[in-house]
Amino acid sequence: MKYGHFDDDAKEYVITRPDTPRPWSNYLGSTEYGAIITNHAGGYSFYKSAATGRFLRMRFNSVPLDQPGRYFYLRDQESGDFWSASWQPVAKPLDEYQSVCRHGTAYTQIESTYSGIRTEALYFVPLGQTFEYWRLRVTNQSGRARRISVFTYCEFANLWHTYQDLVNLQYSLFITRATLEDGILGVTCNPNYDFDGKDLTGCNRTWMALTGAPLAGVETVRERFLGSYGGYRAPEVVVRGRCSNFLAEGDNVVGGQQADLALAPGETRELIVLLGLGTVGTHGRKTVAEFGGPDRCAAEFARLRAAWHAPLESLHVKTPDPDLDHMVNVWNAYNALITYAWSRSASLIYNGERDGLGFRDTVQDILGAIPLLREGVKPRLELMLTGQLANGGAIPVIKPFSHRPGHEAPPPDEEYRSDDCLWFFNTVPAYVAETGDLEFYRKVLPYADSGEATVFDHLRRALEFNLERTGRNGLPCGLSADWNDCIKLGYRGESVFVSFQVRYGLDVYAGIADRLGRGTDATWARVELGKLDANIQKVCWDGEWFIWAIGQDGTVYGTKNFSEGQVYMNTQVWAVISGAATPAQAEQALRTMKETCATPYGVMLCAPPFIKANPDVMKATLFNAGIKENAGIFSHTQSWAVIAECLVGDGDQAHDYYRAFMPSAHNDRAEVRQVEPYVHCQTTYSRYNINEGAARTPWLSGTASWAYYSATQWMLGVRPEIDGLRIDPCIPKAWPGFSMRRRFRGKTVHITVTNPAGVNTGVKSLTVDGEELAGNVVPAGKLKDGSRIVAVLG
Ligand code: GLC
């Protein structure tokens, strides 16, 4: 079933059937003023933190998943019939109610037609502001004069705090108040508490205004708006057609405002709702005066779109796979930027409880943002480097608003993860390659707890952290977790995944050391790498695949003799990515993985699932079979399989693996995947579960970043390096070629790849602006703005 389509020119996903399998969401605003919205106008808003800055309420995990939100109710004052400007919450029958939702870059527009009245509701947060716009255009298409009343509705979260609002009712219901000053609603918690208007953090003050028509009334208490036994579907005020103008002094405060419109045939009216932070006096009145008019609203919308479109224009492709183009040109890039911004904190699933930046997640999220933001990621990358401790390990979660490098306490020993700082070996070189800023390696940055070092030495400490914590077989220990949160190997159990990461890191580090003229460091790394390789070859190869881990009691996971989790995807693909596998092992390991783990929805993280394994070590046992780390399809890891296949030169397999987990490839069967077909998700049920094919936890996942990186830099193979752009595609044999437009070091370059011989990989000839080049790297010095690179495969 198809519920919508991609509009790449507008950079929108257009939902044409509102009864999507689940509410399909989008993001508004920025990390200052953040908001979630769905195709039903459900969602919530928050200042800085979804947990401790929540001021618009949405109740999580209800049915539907997204209520309440930012509603416009419409009522025909003659017939008494009423509906909403989004299909939900009134949910008129779909044979009478037409609706299209356009999710765009940080805005959502919902267009509906019912009983001869067309509405267009546009939601966005203007750039750099602390208020949101809801703009409603109402057009009378019925051919007769109509009297239509419009009612706004949203609920304010008490105390700007998600837990307090949900749990501490004996307190939070007695501190709320609504006021009306100059027609602007003021909503306050702790109204007797002074507020100077300066710091909005936790200020507990919100205002709401309506322009474009006189305010006909307000309703500010939830039960008075909805009725004590009513609901969002048929609110009492809308049924009655009139607000009571009661101003709340306690209980739940809501944003009910009424406007009465008399519409001639063909007439359009525009109402603008502004909802923002601070009081009417400190912020509301000024904001309405400055931003309340239709021209300003339209100008702010144009500015917002341009600002979001600019980074997405950094890289544009045209390939024979239009689904891939939708993702790379718009949605995967946007998904990567949103994940970079919000980490794992705010969505319909994450309700803010994961406040802060998970170390490993954020370092990987940066990888996806680098080609889009370039130098713009530097502060975040430096923040993460200063989250590294002097011992080389990391603080598991970094709090960006309170992090104090040099003053943070190290975590207790049992909380260190083994992989955290190893992700720097993917992200830091990618940053340097994109920007050409080799000096970054020499920049001195503090450690989280004490001391400071160059970025290069931070990398050294990261490797030493793991090399100093090895087990009986000379492999790095798994500590509280490696990438896989569900394996706890402690200080004696060894992680094969991290062994490969360290191998990769040593290799990358040696290359950087060569580049910086640090011969002794390069030699050190190569000696360590040789030792590690010998240990890997001694204990990690099981004959047909690489093992998973060795527990502290000697239990070997991911081996022929252990029937659960026998083949583990990550160690097969990372054996290839790290260069640890011999060519024969690489080929065999990838074949085994394909035979045992590949499915039409992606490669299962392992197979078969865990049922009996000890959950003290293998926490995956706690999950149902066929989801998440227990033989589910983990989206995050899929790109590693794609990269591994590119490394062995199989562009057909790489593309097959890519399409299996690519959301847009499932657009026409969206009822199977269920979640948004335009963004990645964390995990998909595999064949070991009754829900096979259903995807869960959309938007915020390391998948976004790796999918963008693997498509653009490995399949399409346009890879920045310090010296220039390497052109090394690995594509399906049937592709005649593709083209890419890319920003690189301040220039826009056009790359055309042709494939006359129908091969997967291998550049036969390369020219830049007509000049023939040897090899497949275009030196940065030869690139001009508008340069044309032509590569012929063969
Ligand atoms: C989740 C976590 C991530 C972890 C992964 C595998 O996606 O956010 O940090 O690596 O699960 O356990």
Side-chain angles (χ1 to χ4, degrees):
M1 187 93 66
K2 190 172 165 175
Y3 294 84
H5 60 265
F6 292 85
D7 179 348
D8 291 354
D9 288 340
K11 301 197 191 327
E12 291 173 343
Y13 185 83
V14 186
I15 301 170
T16 47
R17 274 191 66 150
D19 57 339
T20 47
R22 299 181 157 223
W24 285 354
S25 56
N26 192 17
Y27 285 75
L28 312 176
S30 67
T31 49
E32 277 280 293
Y33 186 115
I36 307 283
I37 189 160
T38 71
N39 54 324
H40 308 307
Y44 57 96
S45 302
F46 49 96
Y47 183 61
K48 292 184 181 169
S49 157
T52 59
R54 178 80 58 82
F55 55 88
L56 274 197
R57 174 189 290 162
M58 187 197 82
R59 291 297 191 212
F60 279 75
N61 204 17
S62 294
V63 182
L65 279 173
D66 63 341
Q67 291 188 347
R70 306 171 184 86
Y71 300 141
F72 285 110
Y73 291 96
L74 291 99
R75 182 180 196 274
D76 185 320
Q77 293 290 31
E78 268 136 42
S79 67
D81 192 13
F82 63 89
W83 62 100
S84 39
S86 40
W87 176 55
Q88 294 284 334
V90 177
K92 285 289 185 189
L94 285 174
D95 51 353
E96 296 166 33
Y97 186 96
Q98 283 85 47
S99 177
V100 167
C101 169
R102 296 175 172 276
H103 280 319
T105 47
Y107 68 90
T108 286
Q109 178 160 311
I110 304 171
E111 305 155 3
S112 297
T113 311
Y114 175 77
S115 95
I117 300 292
R118 182 187 144 84
T119 55
E120 202 184 281
L122 171 69
Y123 299 92
F124 70 97
V125 178
L127 288 174
Q129 300 299 327
T130 51
F131 73 93
E132 59 190 75
Y133 273 122
W134 319 353
R135 183 182 77 183
L136 184 75
R137 288 190 173 141
V138 189
T139 304
N140 177 5
Q141 298 181 328
S142 67
R144 60 193 166 87
R146 301 285 290 272
R147 287 200 302 118
I148 302 290
S149 289
V150 177
F151 299 87
T152 66
Y153 185 81
C154 60
E155 283 177 30
F156 294 92
N158 295 332
L159 259 184
W160 282 32
H161 197 290
T162 179
Y163 295 130
Q164 294 290 319
D165 182 51
L166 189 64
V167 177
N168 194 6
L169 303 183
Q170 61 79 28
Y171 172 63
S172 65
L173 290 175
F174 305 101
I175 57 171
T176 56
R177 186 181 297 169
T179 54
L180 194 60
E181 298 165 59
D182 299 340
I184 303 176
L185 262 183
V187 178
T188 312
C189 296
N190 305 131
N192 303 327
Y193 215 55
D194 275 350
F195 169 61
D196 61 8
K198 291 206 181 94
D199 184 5
L200 291 167
T201 313
C203 79
N204 276 304
R205 265 100 179 129
T206 325
W207 54 268
M208 189 175 181
L210 182 147
T211 70
L215 187 67
V218 294
E219 199 66 84
T220 61
V221 174
R222 185 179 64 179
E223 281 73 4
R224 293 180 74 96
F225 193 100
L226 301 176
S228 290
Y229 297 97
Y232 303 116
R233 201 163 183 159
E236 206 168 279
V237 157
V238 181
V239 171
R240 189 174 67 222
R242 192 165 26 84
C243 288
S244 74
N245 295 324
F246 184 93
L247 292 174
E249 285 186 26
D251 296 337
N252 289 294
V253 181
V254 301
Q257 299 163 295
Q258 177 179 352
D260 297 332
L261 306 178
L263 294 163
E267 185 180 358
T268 299
R269 290 285 295 275
E270 183 169 308
L271 301 177
I272 296 173
V273 171
L274 301 95
L275 187 160
L277 310 181
T279 65
V280 175
T282 60
H283 292 75
R285 220 177 267 122
K286 269 194 292 224
T287 309
V288 176
E290 189 180 345
F291 293 89
D295 292 347
R296 184 62 187 260
C297 178
E300 290 297 331
F301 181 51
R303 232 159 65 80
L304 175 88
R305 274 187 105 196
W308 273 94
H309 287 188
L312 302 191
E313 289 298 334
S314 308
L315 199 160
H316 189 276
V317 299
K318 181 131 185 47
T319 76
D321 181 348
D323 296 328
L324 181 75
D325 296 359
H326 301 317
M327 296 309 295
V328 169
N329 294 338
V330 184
W331 284 93
N332 192 171
Y334 177 48
N335 192 175
L337 291 175
I338 291 290
T339 308
Y340 170 79
W342 289 115
S343 188
R344 306 298 175 270
S345 68
S347 70
L348 294 187
I349 304 298
Y350 291 113
N351 59 29
E353 130 276 350
R354 280 204 181 187
D355 223 354
L357 304 171
F359 199 92
R360 77 159 81 88
D361 290 342
T362 296
V363 177
Q364 293 171 81
D365 292 344
I366 295 171
L367 184 64
I370 287 170
L372 300 161
L373 303 178
R374 302 176 283 275
E375 281 79 5
V377 306
K378 197 174 181 184
R380 177 66 64 85
L381 185 54
E382 290 185 358
L383 173 74
M384 299 317 288
L385 283 157
T386 67
Q388 184 184 24
L389 298 146
N391 68 10
I395 297 184
V397 177
I398 304 296
K399 304 272 184 190
F401 294 109
S402 58
H403 183 66
R404 288 174 63 227
H407 302 277
E408 298 288 337
D413 281 353
E414 60 277 13
E415 284 179 18
Y416 281 97
R417 288 103 193 258
S418 51
D419 66 322
D420 275 341
C421 288
L422 296 174
W423 298 106
F424 283 138
F425 293 96
N426 302 94
T427 299
V428 175
Y431 173 76
V432 172
E434 185 73 52
T435 57
D437 180 11
L438 194 61
E439 278 308 298
F440 186 64
Y441 289 123
R442 298 198 178 94
K443 177 152 191 185
V444 174
L445 291 172
Y447 287 109
D449 48 348
S450 61
E452 58 177 27
T454 62
V455 170
F456 180 69
D457 287 337
H458 275 257
L459 295 178
R460 168 74 170 249
R461 285 308 288 146
L463 294 166
E464 286 167 346
F465 177 80
N466 296 95
L467 293 172
E468 285 162 10
R469 291 163 180 77
T470 55
R472 262 180 304 229
N473 300 288
L475 303 176
C477 294
L479 314 187
S480 86
D482 57 22
W483 169 86
N484 190 326
D485 276 330
C486 289
I487 186 151
K488 190 171 180 180
L489 293 158
Y491 279 79
R492 279 183 289 156
E494 293 151 291
S495 162
V496 177
F497 178 77
V498 167
S499 305
F500 292 145
Q501 275 195 304
V502 172
R503 197 224 183 254
Y504 181 82
L506 287 166
D507 194 33
V508 167
Y509 179 85
I512 302 168
D514 288 343
R515 198 39 99 134
L516 300 178
R518 309 257 306 227
T520 327
D521 295 309
T523 306
W524 168 81
R526 292 197 171 104
V527 169
E528 290 298 329
L529 193 149
K531 288 194 270 181
L532 184 57
D533 267 351
N535 293 335
I536 288 172
Q537 285 300 336
K538 201 154 90 200
V539 291
C540 301
W541 180 243
D542 200 35
E544 285 170 77
W545 65 86
F546 286 94
I547 63 167
W548 182 332
I550 304 171
Q552 62 172 351
D553 62 357
T555 306
V556 181
Y557 295 89
T559 171
K560 288 198 178 69
N561 306 321
F562 199 101
S563 64
E564 302 181 351
Q566 203 167 51
V567 177
Y568 183 43
M569 170 187 186
N570 279 358
T571 46
Q572 314 320 312
V573 292
W574 270 83
V576 180
I577 293 171
S578 68
T582 64
Q585 285 172 333
E587 195 203 324
Q588 178 62 55
L590 293 177
R591 191 180 324 131
T592 303
M593 179 184 81
K594 182 176 175 184
E595 284 164 6
T596 54
C597 301
T599 83
Y601 302 103
V603 183
M604 293 183 284
L605 187 60
C606 64
F610 294 96
I611 311 287
K612 297 203 179 82
N614 178 4
D616 294 339
V617 181
M618 186 53 75
K619 288 189 272 176
T621 309
L622 302 174
F623 285 118
N624 278 316
I627 192 66
K628 296 205 43 136
E629 287 89 340
N630 195 11
I633 296 157
F634 222 98
S635 311
H636 189 146
T637 62
Q638 303 302 309
S639 291
W640 300 337
V642 171
I643 295 171
E645 290 295 345
C646 290
L647 283 163
V648 299
D650 192 339
D652 284 281
Q653 186 62 70
H655 184 242
D656 282 354
Y657 281 157
Y658 202 84
R659 281 191 63 85
F661 80 102
M662 181 165 67
S664 54
H666 299 271
N667 189 51
D668 296 353
R669 286 169 287 137
E671 78 283 6
V672 178
R673 198 169 172 271
Q674 298 176 349
V675 298
E676 294 85 334
Y678 44 89
V679 285
H680 282 288
C681 66
Q682 186 203 60
T683 181
T684 299
Y685 283 103
S686 75
R687 64 164 175 259
Y688 290 107
N689 192 287
I690 199 167
N691 301 302
E692 181 179 7
R696 294 290 181 261
T697 319
W699 277 103
L700 305 182
S701 156
T703 316
S705 146
W706 281 100
Y708 190 65
Y709 172 74
S710 63
T712 56
Q713 303 205 11
W714 292 91
M715 285 202 299
L716 303 179
V718 178
R719 212 155 48 240
E721 293 186 355
I722 290 174
D723 295 326
L725 269 186
R726 187 176 293 276
I727 313 293
D728 186 21
C730 188
I731 57 177
K733 290 194 176 93
W735 279 21
F738 68 90
S739 60
M740 181 189 287
R741 189 187 71 228
R742 194 194 201 282
R743 292 290 290 170
F744 183 60
R745 311 234 180 124
K747 291 151 192 136
T748 297
V749 297
H750 303 267
I751 303 143
T752 307
V753 174
T754 59
N755 186 19
V759 297
N760 282 137
T761 189
V763 167
K764 195 173 70 177
S765 77
L766 182 67
T767 61
V768 56
D769 298 322
E771 182 192 339
E772 292 263 359
L773 298 173
N776 65 354
V777 177
V778 185
K782 289 199 183 290
L783 290 171
K784 300 189 286 288
D785 197 33
S787 274
R788 300 203 168 264
I789 299 169
V790 178
V792 180
L793 304 184

